[in-house]
Amino acid sequence: MDRIAYVNGSFLPIADAKVSILDRGFLFADGIYEVAAVLEGKLIDNASHLARLQRSVGEISLTLPETTERIQEIQKELVARNNLVEGLVYLEVTRGADKDRDFAFPKGVKPTLVMFTSVKNLNGPGAGAGVSVITVPDIRWPRRDIKSVALLAQVLAKQAAAEAGAGEVWMIEDGMVTEGGSSSAFILTHDDVLVTRHNSPAILPGCTRKAVVALAEERQLRVEQRPFTVAEAVAAKEVFITSATAFVQGVVSIDGKTVGGGKPGPTTGRLRNIYIEFARASAV
Ligand code: PDD
């Protein structure tokens, strides 16, 4: 059976799900996206993703074409229509298609809203086995707090990682790790302090990052929100990344140097289990 996608009010086979070549998402990357995980047929931490969607569109003066309540209904309908058990729902909203290519905002144009599902092993065999990371300079624009579809810097960075046989890339600015190509970065120091960069325009405020910080603090784990260097990460007790679809994933090497003993550490494993428990409890 063909996957069913959603485009501006219609559910269609993915091959028929199309937008105009004049769509501003295509022409200018003038759009916002979100990725929410699906576990056991339910959306994980979706309220957090929809809140960030609302914030991102606000930052670029774009109004959602549907309420977030309706967007969640559509996400759920798409999960049901595709019989999705484990994977993700991708959603994108753009400033729509005008009659021509003009940089300034069009008037009276309805935003484009599209969604599709992907099957992905999130919690099955091998899902928490750890990833290797390489580092590259962070060449992105200064508003990384907006979940914009302008992802060329991450595309190039993640391609470099793929060519190096690594599963993720860390981006470096002023000698400090900003974040992963599509994940937030954490280290656990030898004093058992969890360190992750503070939210600012330099990084995306990760939904999984936010949940993991709260869950760790609830369990009396000390958390410091500050930038850290690659050298600190290489010397750390444990290193991990978080994202909607990676959950909590151990980092086993950085630029070819083994970290944290070369396999996901015990605190990483514990936080992964705690996060998955939270994910199930918050699923809709
Ligand atoms: N990426 N930082 C960046 C640059 C990201 O693209 C992502 C997510 C994260 C983690 O955010 P969250 O925990 O809310 O997923 C951090 C998604 C998954 C993607 O682009 O596929």
Side-chain angles (χ1 to χ4, degrees):
M1 195 191 79
D2 229 0
R3 246 189 304 175
I4 302 296
Y6 172 89
V7 185
N8 295 328
S10 304
F11 291 90
L12 303 160
I14 205 152
D16 303 326
K18 292 177 180 163
V19 296
S20 163
I21 63 162
L22 290 175
D23 193 279
R24 295 175 63 91
F26 181 69
L27 294 179
F28 301 117
D30 186 0
I32 300 295
Y33 78 108
E34 272 298 335
V35 176
V38 172
L39 204 54
E40 291 149 15
K42 289 184 168 176
L43 292 157
I44 302 307
D45 203 11
N46 200 43
S48 193
H49 288 281
L50 292 177
R52 187 173 62 191
L53 173 68
Q54 193 70 266
R55 178 185 181 274
S56 289
V57 295
E59 290 299 305
I60 67 163
S61 305
L62 173 61
T63 307
L64 290 175
E66 304 286 353
T67 63
T68 50
E69 290 76 20
R70 177 66 192 137
I71 288 174
Q72 177 161 293
E73 278 174 21
I74 300 165
Q75 288 173 298
K76 286 166 86 166
E77 180 159 355
L78 212 51
V79 169
R81 283 184 186 241
N82 288 290
N83 299 311
L84 182 65
V85 178
E86 193 165 312
L88 60 92
V89 179
Y90 175 89
L91 82 83
E92 178 170 334
V93 55
T94 77
R95 213 179 303 275
D98 200 3
K99 286 180 275 307
D100 212 332
R101 179 178 178 270
D102 287 312
F103 283 79
F105 297 174
K107 290 193 179 67
V109 168
K110 206 175 168 211
T112 298
L113 178 62
V114 306
M115 297 187 210
F116 60 84
T117 59
S118 299
V119 172
K120 197 171 170 170
N121 171 23
L122 308 182
N123 199 31
V131 287
S132 296
V133 161
I134 64 157
T135 63
V136 300
D138 196 334
I139 61 166
R140 296 175 298 163
W141 76 324
R143 288 303 308 278
R144 302 149 192 168
D145 55 313
I146 299 169
K147 202 163 171 60
S148 147
V149 294
L151 291 170
L152 190 52
Q154 283 104 310
V155 166
L156 298 178
K158 287 184 80 101
Q159 175 60 21
E163 286 172 13
E168 179 56 306
V169 62
W170 276 6
M171 296 173 288
I172 312 298
E173 187 170 63
D174 300 330
M176 299 288 175
V177 176
T178 52
E179 60 185 328
S182 59
S183 60
S184 310
F186 284 74
I187 59 172
L188 181 73
T189 69
H190 288 277
D191 304 327
D192 289 314
V193 180
L194 206 53
V195 181
T196 190
R197 195 177 176 116
H198 57 288
N199 281 332
S200 77
I203 63 167
L204 183 77
C207 296
T208 320
R209 174 198 175 285
K210 182 179 174 192
V212 167
V213 165
L215 293 165
E217 283 177 337
E218 277 167 26
R219 282 156 187 80
Q220 324 307 329
L221 202 71
R222 266 177 60 207
V223 180
E224 256 177 48
Q225 300 194 38
R226 60 161 176 88
F228 59 85
T229 62
V230 173
E232 252 183 298
V234 170
K237 194 170 175 184
E238 298 184 29
V239 183
F240 64 87
I241 57 170
T242 62
S243 82
T245 52
F247 300 157
V248 174
Q249 182 70 248
V251 171
V252 296
S253 78
I254 302 172
D255 290 332
K257 297 185 194 81
T258 299
V259 296
K263 58 180 190 342
T267 300
T268 302
R270 197 169 138 239
L271 286 170
R272 180 176 171 87
N273 292 338
I274 290 166
Y275 178 77
I276 291 169
E277 211 176 285
F278 152 84
R280 288 206 174 96
S282 73
V284 292

